[in-house]
Amino acid sequence: GAVVSQHPSWVICKSGTSVKIECRSLDFQATTMFWYRQFPKQSLMLMATSNEGSKATYEQGVEKDKFLINHASLTLSTLTVTSAHPEDSSFYICSALGTVRDEQYFGPGTRLTVT
Amino acid sequence: RKEVEQDPGPFNVPEGATVAFNCTYSNSASQSFFWYRQDCRKEPKLLMSVYSSGNEDGRFTAQLNRASQYISLLIRDSKLSDSATYLCVVKEDSNYLLIWGAGTKLIIKP
């Protein structure tokens, strides 16, 4: 149980285009999901907290107009990187908050490369 | 000062050796503590929670010292498959947010 999927797992896009990443909780409902970013040899950095049916809460320094988050259902949150640039190339990981012990269940991550 | 600090790595350790990771946290109100393992280009996976009384899971032992705000992870009889980055994570139970250490890379050599 408590499986989280992400799609796509790897994407390469050209500078200036937008990329949408999906995060799904497969066997449980998640009212809260988190989006992280991880640059090489660095730890995970929380970008935003996504709550179903309401606006996401962004961490300081994260541009909400660039990283659009939509959590329209209890099993799906999406992160759209708008007008991507090479510096946005990173490993994007989502997690979903469990309902029993507040444990976070992580998706397998999406590796974004912007050329 | 970083909220969660870990030993810088990498640790290069021969197979079969015992290795210890240390971690300190700055917020004394922190309530939950974890060690995660992350393999290269993969998502982090929960290795074990850390309880006040200390806890053991096979070759892995975690300890917490609240007075010193210090967490440790000991791996005995290390295996090649233990090679990974080990992340110390702290949660303030007033919210769901996880505070991540930068991680310590472990390389087990045959």
Side-chain angles (χ1 to χ4, degrees):
Chain A
V3 177
V4 175
S5 70
Q6 274 184 249
H7 178 81
S9 56
W10 193 11
V11 57
I12 301 173
C13 70
K14 291 185 177 180
S15 186
T17 61
S18 295
V19 175
K20 179 186 283 188
I21 303 170
E22 294 185 348
C23 177
R24 292 181 185 272
S25 57
L26 299 185
D27 50 2
F28 67 104
Q29 294 183 333
T31 56
T32 302
M33 291 184 176
F34 303 92
W35 286 97
Y36 295 87
R37 180 168 55 182
Q38 186 177 33
F39 292 107
K41 298 186 179 181
Q42 295 185 25
S43 192
L44 277 70
M45 292 181 58
L46 180 65
M47 299 176 67
T49 302
S50 168
N51 294 295
E52 186 267 337
S54 64
K55 291 183 179 181
T57 302
Y58 290 82
E59 295 300 300
Q60 189 174 10
V62 178
E63 300 175 55
K64 63 180 181 180
D65 294 330
K66 180 172 180 62
F67 298 99
L68 301 178
I69 292 173
N70 185 285
H71 194 157
S73 78
L74 288 171
T75 59
L76 173 65
S77 175
T78 60
L79 168 68
T80 301
V81 183
T82 62
S83 186
H85 291 285
E87 57 265 30
D88 297 324
S89 299
S90 188
F91 192 44
Y92 292 85
I93 307 174
C94 73
S95 70
L97 191 65
T99 55
V100 178
R101 295 179 298 167
D102 293 343
E103 186 172 335
Q104 289 190 28
Y105 299 97
F106 286 86
T110 296
R111 190 159 300 279
L112 170 64
T113 301
V114 184
T115 61
Chain B
R1 180 183 173 187
K2 294 181 181 177
E3 294 186 70
V4 178
E5 293 200 61
Q6 294 186 241
D7 287 346
F11 287 4
N12 290 281
V13 176
E15 189 177 10
T18 295
V19 60
F21 299 113
N22 302 313
C23 171
T24 57
Y25 59 97
S26 60
N27 188 345
S28 59
S30 301
Q31 294 295 323
S32 302
F33 310 89
F34 311 91
W35 283 101
Y36 277 74
R37 169 196 169 126
Q38 186 175 24
D39 292 288
C40 188
R41 298 176 178 265
K42 300 286 187 182
E43 78 277 21
K45 295 189 177 180
L46 180 63
L47 181 64
M48 59 196 304
S49 301
V50 186
Y51 302 120
S52 296
S53 55
N55 47 299
E56 186 174 307
D57 183 1
R59 298 181 293 109
F60 299 85
T61 301
Q63 292 193 315
L64 168 66
N65 184 322
R66 286 188 184 273
S68 302
Q69 295 179 204
Y70 171 92
I71 308 159
S72 66
L73 174 69
L74 190 74
I75 304 177
R76 292 181 299 279
D77 188 24
S78 54
K79 312 291 185 188
L80 295 176
S81 57
D82 294 333
S83 297
T85 296
Y86 290 83
L87 299 156
C88 176
V89 184
V90 172
K91 183 161 78 84
E92 299 161 15
D93 282 353
S94 59
N95 56 51
Y96 304 124
L97 300 181
L98 299 178
I99 312 299
W100 297 78
T104 303
K105 187 173 183 178
L106 174 66
I107 301 170
I108 304 296
K109 296 187 173 182

